[in-house]
Amino acid sequence: MTIKAVVFDAYGTLYDIQSVASVTEQAFPGYGDVITQVWRIKQLEYTWLRSLMGTYEDFGVVTRDSLAYTLDCLGLDDGGAAARRIFDKYLHLDPYPDAIAALTALHGRKLAILSNGSPDMLGALTRNTGLDGLLDDVISIDAAKVFKPDPAAYALAETRLGVTPREVLFVSSNPWDVAGAKAFGFTVAWIERVSRETMARELARSGPLPPLTMFKALRTQMDVLGFEPDHRIASLAELARVVSA
């Protein structure tokens, strides 16, 4: 089946979620790394919990709530000013260095984002980083009122782009998202930014494990759910080869 559309996850795939660390460290010196990792872990957990509980709130609410949890857990409070600055970074995340070149190389096929992000967050982020002009559509799961990996979230790509699941190459660096997209029926490319060998070396180091290493162990290694990606790549730069093949 010909690939007619390439659909990208946003957070962690086109955009580096770790780029918030500079802001968290500036706001709370000495705590930047642990804030960044706990915040992201709880942010994802809250999307899954709200989907399971049937109590949907958009990604802006989830992101603020998970940040509030993180700061409270660590006993950090400055009256809210720092939290607002930290949240604002989600509207100005750094694209991965190869994002623009990868999207440009795929010109001629439908290109879209399918993200848990709310429409206003995704709109601001793509405009602020210049990716909006390279995409045919930016799809928020807000239209389905349920977060990925629920099948209803992935089905939005069919409706919006007018393609069948087999005509979509879905691209994500998040293993849980890869499993969800593959279960739905997409052809899936997983960006394996942290190889098993690299992960093993980090975990084998003596002494306490830093928060980033724990995050990598929990969120960057392929989950054992019975669904494997069709393609394993190390970067966005490899996508043009995958699509042409």
Side-chain angles (χ1 to χ4, degrees):
M1 182 69 71
T2 301
I3 296 298
K4 295 183 179 179
V6 183
V7 179
F8 297 85
D9 169 57
Y11 302 116
T13 300
L14 290 175
Y15 292 97
D16 184 3
I17 55 172
Q18 296 299 327
S19 63
V20 303
S22 60
V23 180
T24 56
E25 180 62 26
Q26 183 181 49
F28 297 102
Y31 289 90
D33 190 16
V34 68
I35 291 172
T36 299
Q37 310 318 326
V38 173
W39 182 19
R40 177 58 172 169
I41 288 170
K42 296 306 292 188
Q43 182 192 52
L44 290 172
E45 287 181 1
Y46 281 9
T47 64
W48 303 328
L49 287 169
R50 285 200 170 276
S51 293
L52 287 167
M53 294 188 299
T55 57
Y56 177 81
E57 295 284 354
D58 75 27
F59 200 64
V61 173
V62 167
T63 301
R64 289 185 177 91
D65 287 350
S66 54
L67 177 58
Y69 168 93
T70 301
L71 297 180
D72 183 63
C73 175
L74 297 172
L76 302 173
D77 182 19
D78 77 332
R84 288 189 290 273
R85 292 198 305 274
I86 293 170
F87 175 84
D88 187 65
K89 180 61 178 177
Y90 253 84
L91 308 181
H92 299 84
L93 289 173
D94 299 347
Y96 279 99
D98 53 356
I100 291 177
L103 291 172
T104 302
L106 294 169
H107 179 74
R109 288 179 171 81
K110 293 181 180 179
L111 303 177
I113 280 175
L114 173 61
S115 172
N116 279 340
S118 60
D120 57 338
M121 290 179 71
L122 292 171
L125 179 60
T126 54
R127 288 193 302 272
N128 290 336
T129 55
L131 264 61
D132 57 333
L134 299 171
L135 296 163
D136 296 292
D137 205 350
V138 178
I139 307 168
S140 167
I141 58 81
D142 190 67
K145 295 294 187 290
V146 67
F147 293 101
K148 295 186 293 180
D150 190 287
Y154 298 107
L156 293 171
E158 287 186 276
T159 305
R160 291 277 288 264
L161 300 175
V163 292
T164 66
R166 291 186 62 198
E167 293 172 328
V168 171
L169 176 66
F170 184 81
V171 183
S172 182
S173 68
N174 296 297
W176 58 268
D177 197 17
V178 167
K182 186 62 183 174
F184 180 75
F186 289 151
T187 300
V188 182
W190 175 39
I191 305 177
E192 187 181 8
R193 291 203 167 96
V194 182
S195 70
R196 283 177 287 184
E197 294 75 19
T198 299
M199 190 76 259
R201 285 194 298 270
E202 287 197 31
L203 292 173
R205 292 175 183 170
S206 61
L209 295 176
L212 180 55
T213 297
M214 288 301 298
F215 175 83
K216 290 176 182 177
L218 289 169
R219 293 287 180 262
T220 69
Q221 302 303 291
M222 185 51 59
D223 290 302
V224 183
L225 294 169
F227 296 96
E228 294 289 327
D230 300 279
H231 307 279
R232 292 175 179 242
I233 57 179
S235 69
L236 291 164
E238 296 181 44
L239 280 173
R241 173 185 57 78
V242 170
V243 172
S244 63

mmCIF file of all heavy atoms in Angstrom, residues 2 18 117 146 182:
data_model
loop_
_atom_site.group_PDB
_atom_site.id
_atom_site.type_symbol
_atom_site.label_atom_id
_atom_site.label_comp_id
_atom_site.label_asym_id
_atom_site.label_seq_id
_atom_site.Cartn_x
_atom_site.Cartn_y
_atom_site.Cartn_z
ATOM 1 N N THR A 2 0.559 2.193 -0.866
ATOM 2 C CA THR A 2 1.311 3.435 -0.945
ATOM 3 C C THR A 2 1.052 4.298 0.281
ATOM 4 O O THR A 2 -0.081 4.447 0.730
ATOM 5 C CB THR A 2 0.906 4.215 -2.212
ATOM 6 O OG1 THR A 2 1.162 3.406 -3.356
ATOM 7 C CG2 THR A 2 1.689 5.514 -2.317
ATOM 8 N N GLN A 18 12.604 17.752 26.493
ATOM 9 C CA GLN A 18 13.656 18.023 27.468
ATOM 10 C C GLN A 18 14.132 19.474 27.413
ATOM 11 O O GLN A 18 14.848 19.930 28.319
ATOM 12 C CB GLN A 18 14.836 17.079 27.248
ATOM 13 C CG GLN A 18 14.525 15.608 27.484
ATOM 14 C CD GLN A 18 14.081 15.315 28.907
ATOM 15 O OE1 GLN A 18 14.534 15.959 29.849
ATOM 16 N NE2 GLN A 18 13.195 14.344 29.066
ATOM 17 N N GLY A 117 -1.850 17.324 22.435
ATOM 18 C CA GLY A 117 -1.905 18.753 22.718
ATOM 19 C C GLY A 117 -3.254 19.358 22.377
ATOM 20 O O GLY A 117 -3.950 18.911 21.463
ATOM 21 N N VAL A 146 -10.654 12.290 24.047
ATOM 22 C CA VAL A 146 -9.965 11.168 24.685
ATOM 23 C C VAL A 146 -8.524 11.165 24.181
ATOM 24 O O VAL A 146 -8.261 11.530 23.028
ATOM 25 C CB VAL A 146 -10.661 9.826 24.379
ATOM 26 C CG1 VAL A 146 -10.548 9.448 22.909
ATOM 27 C CG2 VAL A 146 -10.125 8.708 25.267
ATOM 28 N N LYS A 182 0.110 1.225 16.183
ATOM 29 C CA LYS A 182 0.204 -0.065 15.490
ATOM 30 C C LYS A 182 -1.048 -0.900 15.745
ATOM 31 O O LYS A 182 -1.583 -1.542 14.828
ATOM 32 C CB LYS A 182 1.450 -0.815 15.965
ATOM 33 C CG LYS A 182 1.715 -2.110 15.212
ATOM 34 C CD LYS A 182 1.954 -1.857 13.731
ATOM 35 C CE LYS A 182 2.148 -3.158 12.967
ATOM 36 N NZ LYS A 182 2.248 -2.932 11.506
#
